[in-house]
Amino acid sequence: MEPAVAMIVPLVLALCTAMAGAAVVEHTFNVGAMNISQLCTKSVIYTANKQLPGPTIEANEGDTVVVHVVNESPYSLSVHWHGIFQLLNGWADGAYLITDCSIQPSGNFTYHFNITGQEGTLWWHAHSSLLRATIHGALIIKPRNGTAGYPFTVPYGEIPIVLGEWWNKNVYDVEIDAHLTGLGPTISDALTINGKPGDQTPCKGAGVYEMEVASNKTYLLRIINAAVNVELFFKLAGHKFTVVAVDASYTDPYATDIIVISPGQTVDALTTTSAPPGLYYMAAKVFDSKTVSIPFNTGTATGIVRYTKAPNNTVASMPAMPAHNDIVTAGTFYRSLTGLARPGDPAVPTTVNHSLVVEFGLDQEPCAPDQTKCKNFALVASMNGYSFQFPKNVCLLKALYDGLPTVYSEDFPMSPPPVPVIRKATSVMKVMYNEVVEVVLQSRAYRNNLGTESHPIHLHGFNFFVLAQGLGRFDPRARGVFNLVNPQVRNTVAVPGGGWAVIRFTANNPGMWFMHCHLDAHLPLGLGMVFDVLDGPAPNLLPPPPVGYPKCY
Ligand code: C2O
């Protein structure tokens, strides 16, 4: 770790904030090459400030965050602040070709945003190609008045646990190959905990993340699934968890010995160190929801929790992990969480203006001429029959702002087509300011026996209420069991394979907001759509682009 000068500044500022009002938290991310020896292999990866995971941003609710991103890599990239609302500030969302045209090599851009109305754990990541495998980090939001504002006992310590996925190969090349074969990226070489694979891989001497704890204290683990393509089970031997927040929204305390987390999601969990002093493994392994057998990473990432008073030569104990396909454990965790509805928190809107059914899945299509390694078929994904195409050389937000008529169409359908068709198009759905949108997210079986799997659907620009979720086809009678009182509030929901989830949100933020599967494998295949939320009455208008905004044309 090289604490750059820029990192000292936010620390000082953050300290002041705890006492005074809103502060400015400032960072510089130099994104460039880093040599690393991982899994007994020497690689060059691209990271922010030569750290994996990248620097943690710590702020208080109400603060302004300023991040100078200096692109010293050979790739153009944008950085997305996953889960941050970007209220009237869509230009800073960092979604490549949706809200900006990416920072070119040798270029730089300063992202500027406020954090309002959210507390807990979020994260940031590159939002262009597989680069986010190594360009990501935690974004921690404390209450305005500091830890005293927690709706739970102030923990003795707080530790970010960033779960990741590692490829020995350059991930940019993995992505290119994914397109050439038409089958998506190869499986990763390891899972990681805070950048380290742990000691259960074939490489002896691989890095192990260790955290030291005192006995009989409560710690807050801020768990982030930064893995590119896999949902994960996470456990800590000899310890239990109480979940207190997900996706920077507080939950009712939920006691569990296992965390299930999909890419894009975060889970804040308390754990008390009341076990006999010793060494305990934390472990992460893939929850594989696929109904047909396709190879996946069967490894286990491990880290070690070391009690300060652990006797010498203690052997760490391993948690008993569920089977990879333990859909029951996953479903129970995902469904059991409820939101901590506090006075003043936004209530579930009861009138719905747009009621959509968005059905999505994968299909096969003939290999395209440029897919030179494609054998029998290529994969394609769609939502309501539209396979999302990124615009070329222009982003949607700028096109909207400049009134360019031909960049996208506004015909994204309210429901799936009656007969299966797939159209490749850049199609958005128009929503008026402050309208309430309800979406039945329906995962369908893949055609041609491709099976089905769970998809983490992420919405930019908003949190949503998860009113219900279930297996099979959504039955309108399920409306009777919608939780309108204390549903969980998220920005990413793992829609069960072949199942459904119903989300509801108020479109109180003008801009172009991407809703997509957070398995990066599915993004270039077209598993996404965009909400075009129109300006409201003044002052609820999208402002002009900020200074230095990465140019599209
Ligand atoms: Cu964390 Cu569009 O992504």
Side-chain angles (χ1 to χ4, degrees):
M1 288 252 251
E2 295 173 33
V5 183
M7 296 193 58
I8 297 161
V9 180
L11 229 139
V12 175
L13 288 169
L15 284 176
C16 306
T17 333
M19 294 159 266
V24 176
V25 175
E26 193 169 2
H27 285 261
T28 298
F29 289 181
N30 292 300
V31 177
M34 162 177 160
N35 294 310
I36 186 170
S37 175
Q38 181 97 294
L39 290 185
C40 299
T41 309
K42 285 197 165 62
S43 313
V44 177
I45 61 173
Y46 294 87
T47 58
N49 299 354
K50 300 198 192 295
Q51 297 174 31
L52 182 69
T56 295
I57 298 177
E58 246 194 88
N60 293 73
E61 194 273 337
D63 285 355
T64 297
V65 176
V66 176
V67 185
H68 311 285
V69 177
V70 182
N71 187 2
E72 294 164 354
S73 85
Y75 311 112
S76 65
L77 55 93
S78 57
V79 179
H80 171 54
W81 318 93
H82 179 115
I84 294 283
F85 298 148
Q86 304 292 4
L87 201 59
L88 302 180
N89 192 40
W91 306 105
D93 193 42
Y96 178 48
L97 294 176
I98 309 294
T99 61
D100 74 49
C101 276
S102 78
I103 310 164
Q104 301 304 307
S106 307
N108 64 77
F109 178 54
T110 298
Y111 292 89
H112 218 279
F113 56 89
N114 299 326
I115 303 181
T116 320
Q118 35 195 174
E119 294 173 13
T121 306
L122 292 174
W123 61 302
W124 55 268
H125 61 80
H127 205 297
S128 33
S129 79
L130 286 193
L131 286 171
R132 83 166 170 88
T134 54
I135 303 174
H136 62 249
L139 200 172
I140 291 170
I141 310 161
K142 299 228 169 111
R144 216 168 258 249
N145 57 345
T147 53
Y150 286 159
F152 45 84
T153 314
V154 177
Y156 178 76
E158 300 191 6
I159 298 132
I161 301 286
V162 182
L163 307 174
E165 225 178 338
W166 172 266
W167 278 264
N168 286 328
K169 266 182 91 174
N170 176 314
V171 289
Y172 194 86
D173 298 339
V174 170
E175 165 111 5
I176 289 177
D177 241 44
H179 176 72
L180 295 181
T181 61
L183 297 178
T186 50
I187 63 173
S188 52
D189 296 300
L191 305 172
T192 54
I193 296 179
N194 285 340
K196 307 224 165 76
D199 57 10
Q200 313 281 306
T201 72
C203 164
K204 293 295 150 232
V208 186
Y209 169 71
E210 271 201 34
M211 70 183 245
E212 220 178 63
V213 297
S215 283
N216 298 312
K217 303 282 186 205
T218 298
Y219 289 83
L220 178 63
L221 304 185
R222 296 175 175 274
I223 307 159
I224 297 165
N225 186 345
V228 177
N229 287 321
V230 289
E231 292 186 45
L232 294 166
F233 291 125
F234 177 81
K235 281 183 92 170
L236 171 55
H239 295 75
K240 291 189 159 56
F241 303 113
T242 303
V243 174
V244 291
V246 295
D247 297 7
S249 294
Y250 294 118
T251 62
D252 291 314
Y254 173 65
T256 176
D257 65 350
I258 186 157
I259 304 293
V260 189
I261 186 166
S262 77
Q265 294 183 328
T266 72
V267 176
D268 290 359
L270 298 168
T271 189
T272 302
T273 49
S274 50
L279 303 185
Y280 299 89
Y281 275 118
M282 54 176 99
K285 81 180 236 188
V286 169
F287 161 47
D288 178 57
S289 61
K290 292 198 186 74
T291 51
V292 293
S293 101
I294 294 169
F296 63 96
N297 188 328
T298 54
T300 302
T302 54
I304 289 176
V305 171
R306 175 186 296 274
Y307 279 58
T308 42
K309 299 228 173 66
N312 287 337
N313 308 321
T314 6
V315 179
S317 50
M318 207 40 198
M321 300 300 281
H324 285 292
N325 63 357
D326 190 344
I327 191 171
V328 173
T329 294
T332 303
F333 181 89
Y334 286 140
R335 280 193 310 272
S336 297
L337 301 168
T338 48
L340 181 72
R342 297 183 297 172
D345 284 347
V348 183
T350 45
T351 314
V352 173
N353 303 104
H354 292 271
S355 187
L356 276 77
V357 179
V358 172
E359 191 180 73
F360 50 89
L362 267 63
D363 287 275
Q364 298 175 352
E365 64 173 7
C367 303
D370 69 333
Q371 293 182 302
T372 50
K373 294 183 183 169
C374 179
K375 295 229 173 66
N376 304 311
F377 63 88
L379 293 173
V380 60
S382 58
M383 281 183 159
N384 281 355
Y386 277 76
S387 182
F388 184 78
Q389 302 296 294
F390 286 91
K392 299 213 171 16
N393 308 317
V394 53
C395 77
L396 295 182
L397 194 60
K398 193 75 175 16
L400 166 76
Y401 190 79
D402 290 349
L404 305 181
T406 57
V407 176
Y408 57 90
S409 60
E410 295 173 340
D411 57 351
F412 187 83
M414 304 280 290
S415 54
V419 281
V421 281
I422 295 181
R423 293 170 58 189
K424 298 200 172 187
T426 310
S427 167
V428 308
M429 170 145 188
K430 250 211 282 203
V431 175
M432 306 291 278
Y433 177 76
N434 250 346
E435 282 186 326
V436 174
V437 181
E438 179 184 281
V439 188
V440 175
L441 293 164
Q442 177 71 55
S443 152
R444 67 161 167 75
Y446 301 169
R447 298 185 186 107
N448 303 317
N449 303 321
L450 289 175
T452 180
E453 70 188 292
S454 168
H455 296 267
I457 302 296
H458 170 50
L459 176 63
H460 288 224
F462 307 94
N463 279 347
F464 49 71
F465 296 100
V466 184
L467 303 184
Q469 44 197 315
L471 299 174
R473 282 211 78 77
F474 173 73
D475 178 337
R477 280 173 300 183
R479 295 188 173 278
V481 300
F482 279 5
N483 180 350
L484 301 172
V485 179
N486 63 346
Q488 50 181 290
V489 177
R490 284 196 172 275
N491 61 54
T492 307
V493 61
V495 180
W500 54 272
V502 179
I503 63 169
R504 201 180 277 183
F505 66 97
T506 304
N508 59 357
N509 192 8
M512 287 286 192
W513 304 110
F514 206 8
M515 183 173 84
H516 65 87
C517 179
H518 217 283
L519 303 177
D520 270 34
H522 295 166
L523 205 45
L525 304 181
L527 228 180
M529 59 85 69
V530 171
F531 288 105
D532 169 7
V533 179
L534 303 185
D535 276 347
N540 298 300
L541 312 166
L542 180 73
V547 181
Y549 176 70
K551 279 219 172 46
C552 296
Y553 47 85

